[in-house]
Amino acid sequence: MAQKMFITNAAQLITMAGNTDGPAAKEAMSQLNLIENGSLFIEDGNIVEAGPDKEIREKYQEHFQSAEQIDATGKVVAPGLVDPHTHLVHAGTRENEYAMRLKGRTYMDIMQSGGGIHATTRATQQASYEQLYDESKKRLNQFLLHGVTTVEAKSGYGLTLEHELKQLEVAEQLNNDHPVDLVSTFMGAHAIPMDEKDDPDKFVDRVIQEMLPEVADKKLAVFNDVFCERGVFTPEQSRKVLEAGKEYGLIPKIHADEIEPYEGAELAASIGAISADHLLKASENGIKKMAEAGVVGVLLPGTAFFLMAEFAEARKMIDAGVAVALSTDANPGSSPTISLPFIMNLGCLKMGMTPEEVLTATTINAAHAIGCAAEIGSLEPGKKADVTIFDVPNYLTLSYKYGMNHVDTVVKAGIPLVKGGQLQ
């Protein structure tokens, strides 16, 4: 028997319809395709139709009494949020570095002296598979409670074949076991191991010749990412890693222009990356090239906030035609948060985005940044019924009442997983 559900009488039903074929850019980022007093009909985990409450009730009245019903009176119904850039699977925390930075140490200074990514790498290498699984599962539960139904998860805290595979295998198992969908990215080129810093090209070769073939053979990742930054990987080394990944069928992503302008955005455009992420210091030429090439700009305002750095110029990027997405960059060193709603607040308050644009950036554009827009990111017929219901009277309140979790209900593939703000 088919499983049916109605979500009825929403004060505002935000469908995000119309951008499945390509991400929303410029003015399209402000188009929510909102339905006042709207309803959804869901069957077998997929959306059948979204529309005005009266029309949906009349059209599907023969199913109404037998279906599960969720009353969204006075609430905002939106697509399940999508987080397109996280370092979900890791061990250890770095609150000691937080205290060091408050006293004036810089992120790169701490990293170059053996802390930063290297500290998390040591903890992750020492952690068992079971420990990584359990800790990452707890983080996924928190994502779900904050309205997120799909998460991208990177490796990169292994830096050896054994431990990179361990991270990716944990992510694969979580994707099988947990209701939140995980999309995996291989990021063996996250940092140069301390004992190889005098010969970085040797490590680049090891990523390409030793790690990439195994990751591809085991089908553990969809994407291949690299930290293109002075003191980490040069644009030339980054291009080499990303081109090699393409030969194995892995789609390029890139950590670009986070600390200083380093031609990361330009590289993303020229290599055909699906996204370029961070972009705090992206050049005007890089932004222009990204817009021309259709590279999604994944902005991570939580990182700028936590590192007390200047924020990415979201307004400039959107006006230039870059399709912008937002993410937590959840990681233990530079953005230890899982609250995508708070990231939406920062998008408005610190990067000049509008409430409409941040909703687009955390739904359909975020889905495009991880190649999933055909299935998620909007409430349209045939898509997966991933739905987040916020206990606010209108979407403006999501940005107005900042730093709070307004999630009331989360439905994943037609199954309610959060009700009344509590896991079921």
Side-chain angles (χ1 to χ4, degrees):
M1 184 176 177
Q3 297 295 313
K4 301 179 178 66
M5 173 186 287
F6 287 90
I7 299 176
T8 61
N9 203 36
Q12 294 179 331
L13 174 61
I14 297 169
T15 70
M16 304 305 310
N19 291 289
T20 294
D21 293 338
K26 288 193 172 182
E27 292 81 7
M29 284 194 65
S30 297
Q31 304 304 312
L32 303 182
N33 286 301
L34 183 151
I35 301 170
E36 302 280 354
N37 192 31
S39 290
L40 280 175
F41 177 43
I42 295 164
E43 186 171 17
D44 290 335
N46 294 317
I47 295 165
V48 177
E49 191 169 350
D53 185 74
K54 183 178 180 181
E55 291 182 14
I56 295 296
R57 288 175 184 266
E58 290 178 354
K59 186 172 182 178
Y60 299 101
Q61 58 183 323
E62 71 270 25
H63 302 295
F64 201 78
Q65 293 304 318
S66 61
E68 182 173 1
Q69 297 179 29
I70 295 176
D71 184 1
T73 299
K75 299 181 175 71
V76 170
V77 175
L81 302 182
V82 179
D83 195 325
H85 181 132
T86 83
H87 300 263
L88 176 79
V89 180
H90 68 268
T93 59
R94 289 170 19 210
E95 63 272 14
N96 60 317
E97 295 179 9
Y98 167 67
M100 291 164 65
R101 287 191 297 98
L102 291 176
K103 294 178 180 178
R105 293 283 296 278
T106 68
Y107 176 85
M108 290 302 291
D109 177 42
I110 292 169
M111 179 175 165
Q112 296 301 341
S113 62
I117 291 169
H118 301 296
T120 301
T121 296
R122 288 191 293 272
T124 302
Q125 288 179 345
Q126 293 165 8
S128 67
Y129 177 98
E130 291 74 19
Q131 178 187 342
L132 286 177
Y133 180 94
D134 290 343
E135 292 182 7
S136 302
K137 182 179 178 180
K138 290 178 181 178
R139 286 187 280 270
L140 266 187
N141 287 340
Q142 288 298 312
F143 272 112
L144 183 58
L145 285 167
H146 285 77
V148 177
T149 52
T150 300
V151 170
E152 183 261 16
K154 302 179 191 295
S155 67
Y157 291 130
L159 302 187
T160 68
L161 176 61
E162 174 190 358
H163 296 294
E164 287 292 306
L165 292 178
K166 180 173 66 174
Q167 278 191 275
L168 292 168
E169 287 166 353
V170 167
E172 181 182 53
Q173 192 61 48
L174 283 168
N175 184 49
N176 292 333
D177 297 346
H178 200 280
V180 172
D181 287 330
L182 265 68
V183 180
S184 287
T185 296
F186 169 63
M187 198 178 178
H190 194 194
I192 301 163
M194 290 299 292
D195 59 358
E196 298 184 55
K197 63 181 181 180
D198 293 333
D199 192 359
D201 287 330
K202 182 179 179 181
F203 179 70
V204 168
D205 289 341
R206 189 149 61 83
V207 170
I208 292 170
Q209 297 168 13
E210 181 182 334
M211 299 185 198
L212 272 170
E214 284 291 314
V215 170
D217 182 63
K218 295 178 182 295
K219 296 180 171 58
L220 288 172
V222 178
F223 304 104
N224 180 33
D225 202 343
V226 60
F227 191 1
C228 181
E229 192 68 57
R230 191 178 304 279
V232 193
F233 297 96
T234 67
E236 294 76 18
Q237 291 167 336
S238 299
R239 178 181 292 276
K240 189 175 179 181
V241 170
L242 296 178
E243 290 285 10
K246 287 169 71 173
E247 293 181 10
Y248 287 103
L250 298 181
I251 301 166
K253 283 181 169 286
I254 183 170
H255 282 51
D257 304 320
E258 178 182 4
I259 310 299
E260 62 178 90
Y262 204 51
E263 298 186 358
E266 289 90 336
L267 175 57
S270 68
I271 205 168
I274 192 169
S275 75
D277 302 23
H278 284 292
L279 302 171
L280 278 69
K281 302 296 184 179
S283 70
E284 290 194 15
N285 182 57
I287 292 170
K288 177 174 178 288
K289 295 292 186 183
M290 282 179 58
E292 292 171 350
V295 179
V296 178
V298 178
L299 306 185
L300 315 169
T303 306
F305 175 77
F306 195 69
L307 296 181
M308 297 174 285
E310 293 182 19
F311 286 76
E313 297 186 273
R315 183 79 270 134
K316 179 186 288 186
M317 294 182 203
I318 293 170
D319 292 345
V322 175
V324 166
L326 291 175
S327 169
T328 59
D329 188 22
N331 77 82
S334 61
S335 189
T337 183
I338 48 73
S339 178
L340 196 52
F342 178 60
I343 299 303
M344 295 162 70
N345 299 153
L346 290 179
C348 291
L349 296 172
K350 291 294 186 178
M351 297 199 304
M353 298 176 71
T354 67
E356 296 82 7
E357 288 167 346
V358 298
L359 279 163
T360 300
T362 52
T363 55
I364 191 65
N365 278 8
H368 277 289
I370 54 173
C372 295
E375 295 184 342
I376 61 172
S378 62
L379 302 178
E380 297 182 83
K383 286 197 174 184
K384 191 178 293 187
D386 290 1
V387 185
T388 296
I389 302 176
F390 297 97
D391 190 9
V392 293
N394 57 71
Y395 71 85
L396 291 175
T397 307
L398 291 174
S399 299
Y400 165 63
K401 292 188 175 181
Y402 69 93
M404 300 167 62
N405 185 8
H406 298 289
V407 172
D408 178 83
T409 302
V410 181
V411 174
K412 177 66 180 173
I415 299 173
L417 300 176
V418 176
K419 288 184 177 180
Q422 302 294 318
L423 287 173
Q424 298 302 293

